[in-house]
Amino acid sequence: MKEGKPFEISKHQVMEAYKCVKANKGASGTDGVNFTKFEENLKNNLYKIWNRMSSGCYFPASVRGVEITKKDGKTRLLGIPTISDRVAQMVVRMNFEPQVEPIFCDDSYGYRPNRSALDAVGTARERCWEMPWVIDFDIKGLFDNIDHELMMKAVCKHTDNKWVIMYIERFLKAPIAMPDGTVQERNAGTPQGGVISPVLADLFMHYAFDWWMKQKHPQNPWERYADDAVIHCRTKEEAKVLLVQLKERMTECKLEVHPNKTKIVYCRSDVYPEHHEHESFDFLGYTFRRRIVRSRHGNFFNSFTPAVSKGASQHLRDSVREIRRKHKVASLEELAEQMNPVLRGWMNYFCKYSAGEARNVLNYVNLTLIQCIRYKYKSTGRKHLKSHKLLGRICKEQPNLFYHWQMGLRPSVG
């Protein structure tokens, strides 16, 4: 480190931070600089970040606000920092995350190493068999409403590193450039899309919810992934009382339980056969409800279990339809190149539980491929060639062309 720098930050760590940021890809921020442009002068750009951070004079640019459409048709505002700011945030995260990760609870799954959404789904599945009532709740606009004063109080509890504290506060207060061109100051929230935001959100929810549950309601297990969580209860009365207390707790922490996404659910099955108002809930893309399942001994029974949700199924159909729309004259090989990453990620996630329902959704992909073949040959002299038979022939010749074919979901044609 050069003499006169008030903060000890290594150049090596800045380089490692850049590698992590680049691996995550992402769009450009308000400066319009993408990775290609950033790397035209990479050494100098990284030096500037190191020099300013170690001098204490690094100030983040405004965050670029981008609206994305959610599954329910509403929009969510993402905040995209510049590449330089993402690198700076990663440097801070690399120094701060090891301080807080060990204190997080086992049932907190969001954005944590060696934990996944599928782990949370699997744990929820088993606990729904043991306890018949669930509080399914969602925090309204968690990333937009985190109180900065409470957030910094939690940060300072776990580090006395002056530059880490200073830069986290600056990142929190960085203004956001809205899609309409206006620039808004931020008095609350940490932008969803920022490198350090997941760690900060988890730390905030650790004290707002996780630790509170551990201290006040240790008899009620739960699973939480960011702002999406479920709590397990033994009786409906217990769930009602706990939900009231949960709402009060969130109010204390200046958060709000989402009124339209929160309900008490009965885990109906052969073990719990009664009827109640709500008998299903969605959690991390899966719908939990009563289903007929087959035991390892071949017997059929009704169990409360997860399977791919309607929203997740529709999302796959929309993605496949959009790929086809953008590549109308593409060959099947070109379509496979575009579709396979989507199919691979979707299948690896949604075929984990109740795979049969996920496989039914994938039939849509084969139907889409048949339509592609029909479109391609509609103006040729091969009208007599049945498109579904041709797809079956291609599948026999190239069984590994599409990812779902590799997994045995091939078109049932000759």
Side-chain angles (χ1 to χ4, degrees), residues 51 62 87 103 113 199 253 260 375:
N51 187 44
S62 57
V87 174
I103 64 105
V199 179
C253 298
N260 299 326
Y375 178 86

Side-chain angles (χ1 to χ4, degrees), residues 144-187:
D144 296 328
N145 295 309
I146 287 176
D147 182 79
H148 284 178
E149 184 178 347
L150 292 176
M151 183 76 263
M152 291 309 302
K153 183 179 179 180
V155 169
C156 293
K157 181 179 176 67
H158 294 284
T159 183
D160 57 0
N161 188 318
K162 292 182 179 180
W163 65 265
V164 168
I165 295 171
M166 177 180 69
Y167 286 128
I168 287 178
E169 191 165 22
R170 288 181 185 177
F171 293 138
L172 287 173
K173 293 182 177 179
I176 184 165
M178 301 298 287
D180 62 4
T182 61
V183 177
Q184 295 183 1
E185 299 297 321
R186 286 219 319 273
N187 300 313

Side-chain angles (χ1 to χ4, degrees), residues 95-158:
N95 284 271
F96 181 65
E97 189 171 32
Q99 304 300 313
V100 295
E101 171 60 30
I103 64 105
F104 290 158
C105 297
D106 290 341
D107 287 321
S108 169
Y109 292 89
Y111 316 116
R112 296 183 61 193
N114 303 316
R115 292 175 183 273
S116 70
L118 278 178
D119 293 331
V121 171
T123 302
R125 172 175 171 256
E126 294 182 5
R127 288 173 175 169
C128 285
W129 296 339
E130 299 169 358
M131 304 177 75
W133 293 93
V134 162
I135 300 174
D136 170 33
F137 77 95
D138 182 279
I139 303 299
K140 188 175 182 180
L142 171 63
F143 285 88
D144 296 328
N145 295 309
I146 287 176
D147 182 79
H148 284 178
E149 184 178 347
L150 292 176
M151 183 76 263
M152 291 309 302
K153 183 179 179 180
V155 169
C156 293
K157 181 179 176 67
H158 294 284

Side-chain angles (χ1 to χ4, degrees), residues 19 33 47 75 78 82 113 146 175 186 193 236 242 264 302 413:
K19 290 178 181 177
V33 175
Y47 177 83
T75 58
L78 293 185
T82 64
I146 287 176
R186 286 219 319 273
K236 187 175 183 179
L242 180 48
I264 295 174
N302 291 299
V413 291

Side-chain angles (χ1 to χ4, degrees), residues 362-414:
L362 289 161
N363 288 332
Y364 175 82
V365 182
N366 287 333
L367 293 175
T368 298
L369 296 177
I370 289 173
Q371 292 172 350
C372 291
I373 292 174
R374 188 174 296 146
Y375 178 86
K376 185 174 182 179
Y377 292 120
K378 69 179 181 179
S379 59
T380 71
R382 303 181 66 182
K383 290 183 180 180
H384 66 282
L385 185 60
K386 297 293 185 180
S387 53
H388 64 285
K389 288 185 177 181
L390 177 56
L391 182 64
R393 194 177 306 164
I394 293 171
C395 182
K396 284 185 176 181
E397 295 171 354
Q398 304 180 70
N400 295 323
L401 182 58
F402 287 89
Y403 184 76
H404 65 300
W405 290 0
Q406 300 172 30
M407 298 295 104
L409 296 173
R410 298 171 185 173
S412 55
V413 291

Side-chain angles (χ1 to χ4, degrees), residues 184-371:
Q184 295 183 1
E185 299 297 321
R186 286 219 319 273
N187 300 313
T190 178
Q192 192 167 358
V195 170
I196 202 168
S197 294
V199 179
L200 296 181
D202 259 344
L203 179 61
F204 194 91
M205 285 301 294
H206 172 77
Y207 287 108
F209 175 75
D210 304 357
W211 185 250
W212 176 77
M213 284 293 299
K214 190 174 181 179
Q215 295 296 309
K216 301 296 184 181
H217 303 279
Q219 74 280 8
N220 296 103
W222 48 272
E223 301 83 39
R224 182 180 65 80
Y225 194 101
D227 55 354
D228 196 1
V230 293
I231 306 172
H232 303 271
C233 301
R234 291 170 179 81
T235 66
K236 187 175 183 179
E237 290 69 28
E238 182 183 45
K240 285 182 176 179
V241 172
L242 180 48
L243 180 55
V244 171
Q245 295 175 351
L246 175 66
K247 291 178 178 178
E248 292 174 351
R249 174 60 180 173
M250 291 301 105
T251 300
E252 289 175 3
C253 298
K254 301 183 181 180
L255 295 174
E256 180 185 357
V257 173
H258 201 298
N260 299 326
K261 296 182 179 179
T262 300
K263 61 181 182 292
I264 295 174
V265 179
Y266 180 64
C267 304
R268 184 168 171 248
S269 66
D270 283 348
V271 179
Y272 306 113
E274 301 173 11
H275 286 276
H276 290 275
E277 180 183 3
H278 300 294
E279 296 179 353
S280 70
F281 66 89
D282 284 2
F283 182 51
L284 300 177
Y286 277 85
T287 295
F288 286 68
R289 66 171 176 83
R290 177 175 176 263
R291 289 184 173 83
I292 297 176
V293 299
R294 188 175 184 177
S295 73
R296 66 183 67 178
H297 304 296
N299 301 318
F300 291 92
F301 64 100
N302 291 299
S303 177
F304 192 85
T305 190
V308 59
S309 68
K310 289 182 179 179
S313 299
Q314 187 59 49
H315 182 70
L316 177 68
R317 294 189 188 98
D318 292 343
S319 298
V320 170
R321 188 183 300 115
E322 183 64 13
I323 290 173
R324 185 196 170 203
R325 186 188 67 80
K326 290 182 177 180
H327 303 84
K328 287 184 178 181
V329 295
S331 66
L332 287 184
E333 288 76 13
E334 291 169 332
L335 284 175
E337 185 177 351
Q338 297 296 321
M339 288 185 183
N340 280 342
V342 175
L343 295 173
R344 183 181 296 108
W346 194 91
M347 290 182 66
N348 288 346
Y349 187 80
F350 289 110
C351 286
K352 174 68 173 178
Y353 301 106
S354 302
E357 295 197 29
R359 288 170 179 263
N360 289 338
V361 177
L362 289 161
N363 288 332
Y364 175 82
V365 182
N366 287 333
L367 293 175
T368 298
L369 296 177
I370 289 173
Q371 292 172 350

